Amino acid sequence: MQTAMMFSPHADDAAAFCGATLAKFAAEGWRVVLVRVTDDARDSVGLSIEETIRRNTEELHAAAQALGIGEIVELGFPTDTLADVPETALRERFVYLLRKYQPHTVFTFDPFAPYEGNLDHIRVAQAVEEAFWVACFDLHHPEHFQEGLAPFSVCERWYFSREMSSPNHVEDITDFFSQRVAALAAHRTMMQNTINQFRLQLRTWGRRSLALDEAMTGDLTQLVTGFLYAQTSAVAEAHNLGEGRLGEAFRVVRFGDMDEFFEQVSEPLPDAPEPVVHQDRK
Ligand SMILES: [Zn+2]
């Protein structure tokens, strides 16, 4: 069984950005591990910090279950302050997890994406990008090796972002869309805070939205379905997935400009596990 590891700055990032693809991996036999980097202690409306942590954690477990994510690793950094954590401290935790779980594929925000306004997202993306190569060095964090770990390299990085400026892969997630809706709707506390931000902005604009007002107290499924459908159908249409299809876009990186070279000069390992790949992926 191959492992995919999602580095999620916040509890809701998987459901909000790439959840259907994670659900697809899980359905096709991958072990999917989610690393939640922060504690999401302030992402709520009208709740105490303790209650916010409790609810966001509980809702993450429900969302993970909806997506088929088998394991959650909690790093517990204070939320919305990762910019104050040394990048190398974050990177060390990620290197440790890569060496421990040995994922074939990692998912996170694109470290080079434009228009990202959340520094937690940027710091996690940058630390994952560095952890990718640092994990290979036997002189970086040799203390890990005392636990029986070894230098390790991830094969593929699947980067997503708010604005995909240069996606090179679109995953057809039509059959997994409802799982992503269920996962995002499960993040009730964080979604209410997101909705409340829009309400505050609308108020300053001199407007209100009854649909948003209702979503603050009622079921989120309808609102989430509309939002995610618009996003994933636009991705599918832009990449010609076909009538009625839905997609999630990524910048997938393996060896970069050396992909072709390694195709030519490498051959399968005799003891390599049978790769789990989708029909539409090489
Ligand atoms: Zn986030």
Side-chain angles (χ1 to χ4, degrees):
M1 184 190 288
Q2 301 207 46
T3 299
M5 180 169 264
M6 162 72 184
F7 285 91
S8 194
H10 310 113
D12 63 344
D13 292 323
F17 289 96
C18 65
T21 298
L22 295 180
K24 188 170 180 178
F25 271 63
E28 292 183 354
W30 290 64
R31 173 195 194 194
V32 182
V33 179
L34 183 140
V35 180
R36 180 197 191 187
V37 181
T38 73
D39 59 8
D40 300 300
R42 294 170 198 278
D43 204 340
S44 65
V45 187
L47 299 176
S48 67
I49 296 238
E50 294 71 26
E51 184 62 8
T52 301
I53 291 175
R54 191 190 70 73
R55 288 197 197 183
N56 283 337
T57 302
E58 193 178 286
E59 289 165 11
L60 171 60
H61 281 264
Q65 196 168 23
L67 297 175
I69 291 170
E71 190 172 344
I72 298 168
V73 178
E74 296 273 7
L75 294 184
F77 286 96
T79 198
D80 302 331
T81 55
L82 283 183
D84 294 339
V85 175
E87 190 269 343
T88 48
L90 208 52
R91 189 180 77 184
E92 184 277 329
R93 286 292 77 201
F94 295 174
V95 167
Y96 176 82
L97 291 172
L98 295 181
R99 288 171 173 171
K100 182 175 175 185
Y101 285 87
Q102 304 186 349
H104 173 281
T105 298
V106 294
F107 288 83
T108 199
F109 286 91
D110 192 330
F112 304 108
Y115 312 118
E116 174 53 67
N118 187 307
L119 275 171
D120 283 0
H121 295 176
I122 294 170
R123 295 295 274 199
V124 168
Q126 290 174 337
V128 169
E129 176 75 353
E130 282 215 322
F132 161 71
W133 54 265
V134 170
C136 304
F137 284 34
D138 59 9
L139 291 177
H140 270 306
H141 304 297
E143 70 275 15
H144 295 169
F145 308 142
Q146 288 162 14
E147 289 183 38
L149 304 181
F152 174 78
S153 183
V154 166
C155 182
E156 291 182 359
R157 289 156 282 160
W158 286 48
Y159 291 133
F160 53 83
S161 57
R162 286 181 210 276
E163 302 241 352
M164 289 297 303
S165 53
S166 48
N168 61 9
H169 177 75
V170 172
E171 195 68 39
D172 186 323
I173 54 89
T174 314
D175 297 342
F176 300 88
F177 178 74
S178 61
Q179 285 177 257
R180 184 166 164 202
V181 169
L184 193 55
H187 285 291
R188 190 160 184 81
T189 304
M190 297 175 87
M191 286 300 297
Q192 281 177 339
N193 193 22
T194 301
I195 291 165
N196 194 49
Q197 291 172 67
F198 288 128
R199 290 166 85 217
L200 290 173
Q201 191 171 1
L202 281 165
R203 186 185 299 170
T204 309
W205 190 24
R207 296 175 75 92
R208 68 173 182 171
S209 161
L210 292 176
L212 293 190
D213 291 347
E214 277 168 25
M216 285 302 283
T217 50
D219 184 43
L220 292 169
T221 306
Q222 200 182 352
L223 189 75
V224 166
T225 301
F227 162 70
L228 290 181
Y229 185 84
Q231 186 194 70
T232 54
S233 60
V235 168
E237 198 179 323
H239 296 88
N240 304 313
L241 288 192
E243 187 71 26
R245 306 308 292 177
L246 303 172
E248 288 176 348
F250 298 90
R251 187 168 69 84
V252 177
V253 190
R254 193 181 277 174
F255 296 100
D257 58 7
M258 295 176 78
D259 277 347
E260 211 168 300
F261 172 75
F262 284 121
E263 291 256 357
Q264 286 167 7
V265 302
S266 68
E267 59 195 38
L269 281 169
D271 59 346
E274 195 62 36
V276 183
V277 290
H278 305 310
Q279 285 175 347
D280 54 352
R281 200 183 306 143
K282 206 162 46 148

